[in-house]
Amino acid sequence: DSLSYSGRDFTYEIGQIYLLVFLNKFFDLNSLLHILPILFGIVAIILFYLILKEFEVTEKEIIFSLILFLISPLMFYGFTSFTLVSVTLPLTLLTIYLFIQNKLQYKIISFVLLFLLPLFSYKALVIVFLFILFYSIKLKNIKQSIFLLIVSLTSLSVFIIPKLLKFGSEKIDLSSSYLSSLLSDLGGTYGITIFLLILSFFGLSHLWKEKQKHFYLYLLTFILFILSIFDNFFIIYLDLVIFYLASFGLSNLIKSIWDSELIRKLTIIFLIIGLVISSYSSFILLRNAQPTNELIQSLNELKDEKEGVVFSHYSYGIFINSIANKPNFIDKNSNYVKDAKKREEDMQTLFYSRNADKSKEIIACKDMKWEALEELFKEITGNRQEGSERDISLPDLAAVDYHTQSCPHCR
């Protein structure tokens, strides 16, 4: 990848890339990027419905689950634009659905899909492995469990282990707040709303009356919770379990008997209104997310500038690659990048440090050539306290800049 981190090894999953390249032979790429997320979203909803139906969930709980899915941040994020979630989630659900069918040919197809899942996301393989393992153990099908283990290990040996041996493991970042990633109300991209979490607790409290019957559901929920601490991408799978638990909680809350009927009804109304407001807030947050029209316009102007590496805040790095078609200095995906920590330190120094000498030293090292698009990153440095004594002015450090090959980071 010659654009990310001004040049790095290509370590991404290639499944969705090959899918787009193949479909682009028959359809326009821009049309695909607009239509595919909607189609995949419809497929995900249908598969979620069919899976719930296979487990004899009541019609009312299925309807509640689908509504919660439709108004969730997961739906807004994953199926309004083409992302990794757009492909991996319906593919994961399809693999699970085919496996729980009684026909042998469906199970064979599901194992083929299981083998290919790491091409899209090894995390999807982990989820399907856990589900099929628990499902097979519950049915006391040992042969199926052994075959599952063989297919999964073979898939990992072919697609994942060679990458680990060559590049090492992915970076696990525990510095960011897990709570803010888990809860969409606190800024989580595809997190769970607080009101949905409350309803899921109602659901768990009712299911707990039959502890042994739902043991594997508790275990799967707990494992997903732990996995999502280490990688918030697992939250998209935790969401699906939460949708069911919340629907079960809402269903039982509606038909439950309280000492005060008024309080019960007010609680239900409060939770439903809270769900709607949280969903609307998530939608507005996503609608106002980057790239804005102003950012796109600025990066289109940058596209016509001379070649060079663009220094910016890491949150803009991917947009610099995709819109301006210029190599960035740093972006969000720091996995397998050897000097990622040093680059982040330099970025933090230039954008947030009050040490003017240190900032000048980094600028001198990189022989930066400041461009005229100063307004682009002003919002990044807008949180600085006004009136602080600095030798370098805010507009200087808010500019988009190139730096030459004299910088050791870009050689």
Side-chain angles (χ1 to χ4, degrees):
D1 185 350
S2 60
L3 296 179
S4 179
Y5 278 81
S6 54
R8 61 185 293 179
D9 292 310
F10 188 92
T11 57
Y12 316 114
E13 286 86 359
I14 60 175
Q16 66 174 359
I17 298 174
Y18 281 164
L19 176 64
L20 284 175
V21 169
F22 173 75
L23 293 177
N24 193 32
K25 294 179 180 179
F26 309 99
F27 306 100
D28 176 65
L29 182 60
N30 287 330
S31 299
L32 287 173
L33 293 176
H34 285 88
I35 296 173
L36 284 181
I38 299 173
L39 292 178
F40 286 145
I42 294 172
V43 170
I45 288 288
I46 293 173
L47 289 170
F48 190 50
Y49 165 79
L50 293 174
I51 291 171
L52 291 175
K53 207 168 182 62
E54 287 290 329
F55 286 96
E56 300 179 353
V57 180
T58 67
E59 201 67 32
K60 182 188 292 184
E61 290 162 7
I62 289 177
I63 292 172
F64 287 158
S65 297
L66 296 180
I67 291 174
L68 294 175
F69 191 175
L70 281 169
I71 65 173
S72 68
L74 173 60
M75 175 59 70
F76 299 149
Y77 170 78
F79 302 104
T80 55
S81 59
F82 191 81
T83 66
L84 185 59
V85 177
S86 309
V87 182
T88 56
L89 186 57
L91 193 58
T92 301
L93 293 173
L94 177 62
T95 307
I96 291 173
Y97 174 72
L98 291 174
F99 177 80
I100 60 180
Q101 303 305 302
N102 292 323
K103 294 182 179 180
L104 178 61
Q105 58 266 37
Y106 288 165
K107 289 188 182 293
I108 293 174
I109 296 173
S110 73
F111 277 115
V112 171
L113 291 176
L114 177 68
F115 177 79
L116 297 175
L117 273 178
L119 289 174
F120 297 88
S121 172
Y122 74 88
K123 298 158 194 172
L125 171 66
V126 171
I127 297 303
V128 176
F129 173 83
L130 289 172
F131 179 89
I132 295 179
L133 179 64
F134 293 159
Y135 186 81
S136 300
I137 292 175
K138 186 175 182 179
L139 297 180
K140 298 179 181 179
N141 192 331
I142 305 301
K143 290 182 179 179
Q144 198 166 255
S145 301
I146 294 174
F147 188 66
L148 166 69
L149 185 62
I150 292 173
V151 173
S152 300
L153 289 176
T154 304
S155 179
L156 289 173
S157 300
V158 173
F159 300 116
I160 302 300
I161 293 179
K163 183 194 292 187
L164 292 175
L165 293 176
K166 185 175 181 180
F167 303 109
S169 60
E170 289 187 5
K171 185 180 78 171
I172 297 177
D173 184 11
L174 298 179
S175 59
S176 58
S177 170
Y178 170 67
L179 191 62
S180 64
S181 298
L182 177 66
L183 298 177
S184 64
D185 306 84
L186 299 180
T189 305
Y190 31 75
I192 303 162
T193 67
I194 293 175
F195 298 97
L196 192 63
L197 207 56
I198 293 172
L199 280 174
S200 68
F201 286 138
F202 276 109
L204 274 174
S205 65
H206 283 281
L207 288 175
W208 195 251
K209 297 173 183 177
E210 301 175 297
K211 300 180 183 66
Q212 192 62 35
K213 182 179 179 181
H214 304 289
F215 170 76
Y216 290 107
L217 177 61
Y218 309 142
L219 183 58
L220 181 62
T221 305
F222 175 75
I223 292 175
L224 284 173
F225 180 80
I226 297 299
L227 288 173
S228 61
I229 292 176
F230 292 94
D231 192 324
N232 59 24
F233 190 80
F234 283 106
I235 294 175
I236 70 171
Y237 302 108
L238 179 61
D239 279 338
L240 298 179
V241 178
I242 294 296
F243 295 152
Y244 165 68
L245 292 176
S247 68
F248 189 77
L250 181 59
S251 177
N252 281 277
L253 190 59
I254 291 173
K255 63 185 179 184
S256 63
I257 300 174
W258 289 21
D259 292 337
S260 173
E261 185 67 11
L262 177 62
I263 294 178
R264 184 185 70 86
K265 289 181 178 178
L266 288 175
T267 301
I268 294 172
I269 293 172
F270 170 75
L271 289 173
I272 292 175
I273 292 175
L275 277 172
V276 173
I277 292 175
S278 293
S279 298
Y280 178 74
S281 300
S282 299
F283 175 77
I284 295 300
L285 186 66
L286 183 63
R287 191 185 69 176
N288 295 332
Q290 297 290 2
T292 61
N293 290 332
E294 291 80 7
L295 178 61
I296 293 173
Q297 182 179 353
S298 297
L299 290 175
N300 280 327
E301 293 177 16
L302 184 61
K303 186 188 298 184
D304 299 326
E305 298 291 335
K306 61 178 180 286
E307 290 302 317
V309 178
V310 180
F311 183 94
S312 75
H313 190 272
Y314 72 85
S315 60
Y316 291 92
I318 294 175
F319 301 131
I320 291 168
N321 294 163
S322 58
I323 301 174
N325 197 30
K326 292 288 193 298
N328 66 49
F329 178 76
I330 187 172
D331 58 50
K332 291 180 179 180
N333 185 9
S334 60
N335 288 323
Y336 311 112
V337 179
K338 295 179 181 179
D339 62 342
K341 186 175 180 180
K342 172 60 178 171
R343 288 171 181 254
E344 183 178 358
E345 289 173 355
D346 288 345
M347 182 207 72
Q348 295 288 348
T349 300
L350 279 177
F351 280 110
Y352 303 112
S353 174
R354 296 183 180 182
N355 188 334
D357 293 333
K358 181 64 176 176
S359 298
K360 286 181 177 179
E361 181 183 333
I362 294 174
I363 292 172
C365 168
K366 294 172 173 55
D367 188 22
M368 294 184 176
K369 293 179 172 57
W370 304 97
E371 301 296 335
L373 306 176
E374 293 184 355
E375 297 298 324
L376 184 57
F377 296 114
K378 277 188 177 179
E379 62 185 88
I380 293 295
T381 53
N383 62 344
R384 288 182 179 151
Q385 295 182 0
E386 294 182 3
S388 58
E389 295 182 1
R390 296 180 52 86
D391 292 333
I392 300 179
S393 65
L394 176 60
D396 286 336
L397 294 186
V400 177
D401 61 279
Y402 288 94
H403 56 90
T404 67
Q405 297 302 310
S406 64
C407 174
H409 293 302
C410 299
R411 287 175 182 171

